[in-house]
Amino acid sequence: MKNLLLVSILFCLCLLACQKTPPSNNGKLAFSTDNDSTLFYYQKGWQQIMDEGNYGPSEVSYRKALEFDPDFLVGKSVLARLTTSLEERLQLFEELEAKKNTIKGDERLVLDVYIGLTEYTNIREQEPEKVQEARSKVLALAENNFRQIVHKYPEEIYLKSEYIEILHSLKGPKASLDSLQALLLDHQKDNPFLLGYAASMEAKQGNFEEALTKAKHLKTVINDPTVPKSHAVFADVYFQMGSLNLAKKYADRAVELDPRNLDASRLKARIDEELAELE
C-alpha cells in the first residue's frame, strides 16, 4: 500500500514538472504607466502610423497620451521621433536623457532605442557629416534590444514590425522576410503594416507578382479607400517595377490623404523627379 502511494505521489510530481509554466506577461510588455487613457492613445498612435499610414493623426494621439501621463517616457520618445520640429525634438531629447535612468528592465531596452533614433534624427539635421556613424550605432543597438523583446513578448506586433525594419536596414530584404515569417504568430499574418512591408520586400527581390498579390490582399484587409496605407504600398511596388505613372497615381493619393505620411511623400518626390527627367 505504501509503495502504491509512493508511486502515485511520484507520478503527480512528474506531471507537474513536465507542465510548462504559462507566461506571466501574456506576450505583452508592461509599461511604467498605470493610466489606461495613456496606454489607449499610445497604442492608437502605433495603429495609426503603422497600420494606416496616418502620421498626422498619430502625432495627435501621442500628444493625447502624454496629457494623461506627462512622465510616460516611452510615449514621449515616440513623439520625439515623430515631430517635425527640430527645436521640440532637441528639448524632448534632453528630457529623455535626464530621466531615462528611472526606467528599468525590458522597457528600458525599448526606450534606449527610441532615444537613440531621436538622437540620430537630430544629428541628421544638424551634423550630416556624422550621420553614417550615428546610423550604424543606433541600428546595432536596435537589433540587439529588439531581438530580445520580440522573442520575450511575441504579442508586441509594432515592436516586432520595427525589428523587421531594422533587419532590412542591416541585412537586406531576404533576411527581413525570413525573420518575418519565423516570428509571425498565426493571428498576426494579416497585420497591415507587415503585409505592406512584405510586399515591398518581395518587390525589392524582383518578385513583383508576389508583391502585387500581397498589396492587393492588404487593400482587402484594410477595406477603406480613405486609409493611406494601401495606396502607399501600391506606389512603392509600382515604383520598383518601373511603372512610374501608376506609382505616381497611388503616391499622390496617399499624400493627399495624409500629407505627413513620410514614406509616401518621400516616394512621391522621387517619382516626380524621375518623371521630370523623362520629359
Short mmCIF file of all heavy atoms in Angstrom, two decimals, residues 250-273:
data_model
loop_
_atom_site.label_atom_id
_atom_site.label_comp_id
_atom_site.label_asym_id
_atom_site.label_seq_id
_atom_site.Cartn_x
_atom_site.Cartn_y
_atom_site.Cartn_z
N TYR A 250 -0.80 56.42 -57.16
CA TYR A 250 -1.02 55.94 -55.79
C TYR A 250 -0.30 56.81 -54.76
O TYR A 250 -0.83 57.07 -53.67
CB TYR A 250 -0.56 54.48 -55.67
CG TYR A 250 -1.54 53.51 -56.29
CD1 TYR A 250 -1.28 52.91 -57.52
CD2 TYR A 250 -2.72 53.19 -55.62
CE1 TYR A 250 -2.18 52.01 -58.09
CE2 TYR A 250 -3.63 52.29 -56.19
CZ TYR A 250 -3.36 51.70 -57.41
OH TYR A 250 -4.26 50.82 -57.96
N ALA A 251 0.90 57.28 -55.10
CA ALA A 251 1.63 58.14 -54.17
C ALA A 251 0.90 59.46 -53.96
O ALA A 251 0.80 59.96 -52.83
CB ALA A 251 3.04 58.39 -54.69
N ASP A 252 0.40 60.02 -55.05
CA ASP A 252 -0.36 61.28 -54.93
C ASP A 252 -1.57 61.11 -54.02
O ASP A 252 -1.87 61.98 -53.19
CB ASP A 252 -0.83 61.75 -56.31
CG ASP A 252 0.30 62.34 -57.16
OD1 ASP A 252 1.38 62.58 -56.60
OD2 ASP A 252 0.08 62.54 -58.36
N ARG A 253 -2.25 59.98 -54.16
CA ARG A 253 -3.44 59.74 -53.35
C ARG A 253 -3.07 59.56 -51.87
O ARG A 253 -3.76 60.10 -50.98
CB ARG A 253 -4.18 58.50 -53.86
CG ARG A 253 -5.46 58.17 -53.09
CD ARG A 253 -6.43 59.32 -53.10
NE ARG A 253 -7.69 58.98 -52.43
CZ ARG A 253 -8.50 59.85 -51.86
NH1 ARG A 253 -8.20 61.15 -51.85
NH2 ARG A 253 -9.62 59.47 -51.28
N ALA A 254 -1.99 58.84 -51.60
CA ALA A 254 -1.55 58.64 -50.21
C ALA A 254 -1.20 59.96 -49.55
O ALA A 254 -1.59 60.23 -48.41
CB ALA A 254 -0.36 57.69 -50.18
N VAL A 255 -0.49 60.81 -50.27
CA VAL A 255 -0.09 62.11 -49.73
C VAL A 255 -1.30 63.03 -49.57
O VAL A 255 -1.38 63.80 -48.61
CB VAL A 255 0.98 62.77 -50.62
CG1 VAL A 255 1.26 64.19 -50.18
CG2 VAL A 255 2.27 61.94 -50.59
N GLU A 256 -2.24 62.92 -50.50
CA GLU A 256 -3.47 63.71 -50.39
C GLU A 256 -4.24 63.34 -49.11
O GLU A 256 -4.76 64.21 -48.40
CB GLU A 256 -4.36 63.46 -51.61
CG GLU A 256 -5.69 64.20 -51.58
CD GLU A 256 -6.61 63.83 -52.73
OE1 GLU A 256 -6.19 63.03 -53.60
OE2 GLU A 256 -7.75 64.33 -52.75
N LEU A 257 -4.26 62.04 -48.79
CA LEU A 257 -4.98 61.58 -47.61
C LEU A 257 -4.26 61.96 -46.31
O LEU A 257 -4.90 62.24 -45.29
CB LEU A 257 -5.17 60.06 -47.67
CG LEU A 257 -6.15 59.57 -48.74
CD1 LEU A 257 -6.04 58.07 -48.92
CD2 LEU A 257 -7.57 59.97 -48.38
N ASP A 258 -2.93 61.95 -46.34
CA ASP A 258 -2.16 62.39 -45.17
C ASP A 258 -0.83 62.97 -45.65
O ASP A 258 0.12 62.23 -45.92
CB ASP A 258 -1.89 61.24 -44.20
CG ASP A 258 -1.11 61.71 -42.97
OD1 ASP A 258 -1.01 62.94 -42.76
OD2 ASP A 258 -0.61 60.86 -42.22
N PRO A 259 -0.74 64.29 -45.75
CA PRO A 259 0.50 64.95 -46.19
C PRO A 259 1.69 64.65 -45.29
O PRO A 259 2.84 64.83 -45.70
CB PRO A 259 0.14 66.44 -46.15
CG PRO A 259 -1.35 66.49 -46.25
CD PRO A 259 -1.83 65.27 -45.52
N ARG A 260 1.44 64.20 -44.05
CA ARG A 260 2.53 63.89 -43.13
C ARG A 260 3.09 62.48 -43.32
O ARG A 260 4.04 62.10 -42.65
CB ARG A 260 2.03 64.02 -41.69
CG ARG A 260 1.82 65.45 -41.22
CD ARG A 260 3.15 66.15 -40.93
NE ARG A 260 3.99 65.36 -40.05
CZ ARG A 260 3.85 65.27 -38.73
NH1 ARG A 260 2.89 65.95 -38.13
NH2 ARG A 260 4.68 64.54 -38.02
N ASN A 261 2.49 61.69 -44.21
CA ASN A 261 2.98 60.32 -44.42
C ASN A 261 4.37 60.38 -45.06
O ASN A 261 4.53 60.67 -46.24
CB ASN A 261 2.02 59.55 -45.33
CG ASN A 261 2.39 58.07 -45.45
OD1 ASN A 261 3.53 57.73 -45.75
ND2 ASN A 261 1.43 57.21 -45.20
N LEU A 262 5.39 60.11 -44.25
CA LEU A 262 6.78 60.29 -44.69
C LEU A 262 7.15 59.35 -45.82
O LEU A 262 7.82 59.74 -46.78
CB LEU A 262 7.72 60.09 -43.51
CG LEU A 262 7.64 61.12 -42.38
CD1 LEU A 262 8.62 60.76 -41.27
CD2 LEU A 262 7.92 62.52 -42.91
N ASP A 263 6.72 58.09 -45.72
CA ASP A 263 7.06 57.11 -46.76
C ASP A 263 6.50 57.56 -48.11
O ASP A 263 7.19 57.54 -49.12
CB ASP A 263 6.50 55.73 -46.40
CG ASP A 263 7.14 55.17 -45.15
OD1 ASP A 263 8.32 55.47 -44.91
OD2 ASP A 263 6.47 54.42 -44.41
N ALA A 264 5.23 57.95 -48.11
CA ALA A 264 4.58 58.33 -49.36
C ALA A 264 5.14 59.64 -49.91
O ALA A 264 5.36 59.78 -51.12
CB ALA A 264 3.07 58.44 -49.15
N SER A 265 5.37 60.62 -49.03
CA SER A 265 5.84 61.92 -49.51
C SER A 265 7.27 61.83 -50.06
O SER A 265 7.58 62.45 -51.08
CB SER A 265 5.76 62.96 -48.39
OG SER A 265 6.54 62.57 -47.27
N ARG A 266 8.11 61.05 -49.41
CA ARG A 266 9.47 60.87 -49.93
C ARG A 266 9.46 60.12 -51.26
O ARG A 266 10.20 60.46 -52.18
CB ARG A 266 10.31 60.11 -48.90
CG ARG A 266 10.68 60.94 -47.67
CD ARG A 266 11.29 60.08 -46.59
NE ARG A 266 11.63 60.86 -45.39
CZ ARG A 266 11.94 60.34 -44.22
NH1 ARG A 266 11.95 59.01 -44.07
NH2 ARG A 266 12.24 61.11 -43.19
N LEU A 267 8.60 59.10 -51.34
CA LEU A 267 8.49 58.34 -52.58
C LEU A 267 7.92 59.21 -53.70
O LEU A 267 8.40 59.17 -54.84
CB LEU A 267 7.61 57.11 -52.37
CG LEU A 267 7.41 56.21 -53.59
CD1 LEU A 267 8.74 55.70 -54.13
CD2 LEU A 267 6.50 55.04 -53.24
N LYS A 268 6.94 60.02 -53.38
CA LYS A 268 6.35 60.92 -54.37
C LYS A 268 7.40 61.86 -54.95
O LYS A 268 7.43 62.10 -56.17
CB LYS A 268 5.22 61.72 -53.74
CG LYS A 268 4.62 62.81 -54.63
CD LYS A 268 3.47 63.52 -53.94
CE LYS A 268 3.13 64.85 -54.62
NZ LYS A 268 2.93 64.73 -56.07
N ALA A 269 8.28 62.37 -54.10
CA ALA A 269 9.34 63.26 -54.56
C ALA A 269 10.26 62.55 -55.54
O ALA A 269 10.67 63.11 -56.57
CB ALA A 269 10.13 63.80 -53.38
N ARG A 270 10.61 61.29 -55.24
CA ARG A 270 11.47 60.51 -56.14
C ARG A 270 10.78 60.22 -57.47
O ARG A 270 11.40 60.31 -58.54
CB ARG A 270 11.87 59.20 -55.47
CG ARG A 270 12.78 59.35 -54.27
CD ARG A 270 13.09 58.00 -53.64
NE ARG A 270 13.82 57.15 -54.55
CZ ARG A 270 14.05 55.85 -54.33
NH1 ARG A 270 13.57 55.27 -53.23
NH2 ARG A 270 14.73 55.13 -55.21
N ILE A 271 9.49 59.89 -57.39
CA ILE A 271 8.73 59.60 -58.62
C ILE A 271 8.65 60.84 -59.49
O ILE A 271 8.89 60.79 -60.71
CB ILE A 271 7.32 59.10 -58.26
CG1 ILE A 271 7.39 57.74 -57.56
CG2 ILE A 271 6.45 59.00 -59.52
CD1 ILE A 271 6.08 57.31 -56.93
N ASP A 272 8.31 61.97 -58.89
CA ASP A 272 8.19 63.23 -59.64
C ASP A 272 9.52 63.61 -60.28
O ASP A 272 9.58 64.10 -61.41
CB ASP A 272 7.71 64.35 -58.73
CG ASP A 272 6.24 64.19 -58.32
OD1 ASP A 272 5.53 63.43 -59.01
OD2 ASP A 272 5.82 64.81 -57.32
N GLU A 273 10.61 63.36 -59.55
CA GLU A 273 11.95 63.68 -60.09
C GLU A 273 12.27 62.81 -61.30
O GLU A 273 12.77 63.30 -62.31
CB GLU A 273 12.99 63.44 -58.99
CG GLU A 273 14.41 63.80 -59.40
CD GLU A 273 15.42 63.57 -58.29
OE1 GLU A 273 15.01 63.38 -57.13
OE2 GLU A 273 16.63 63.58 -58.61
#
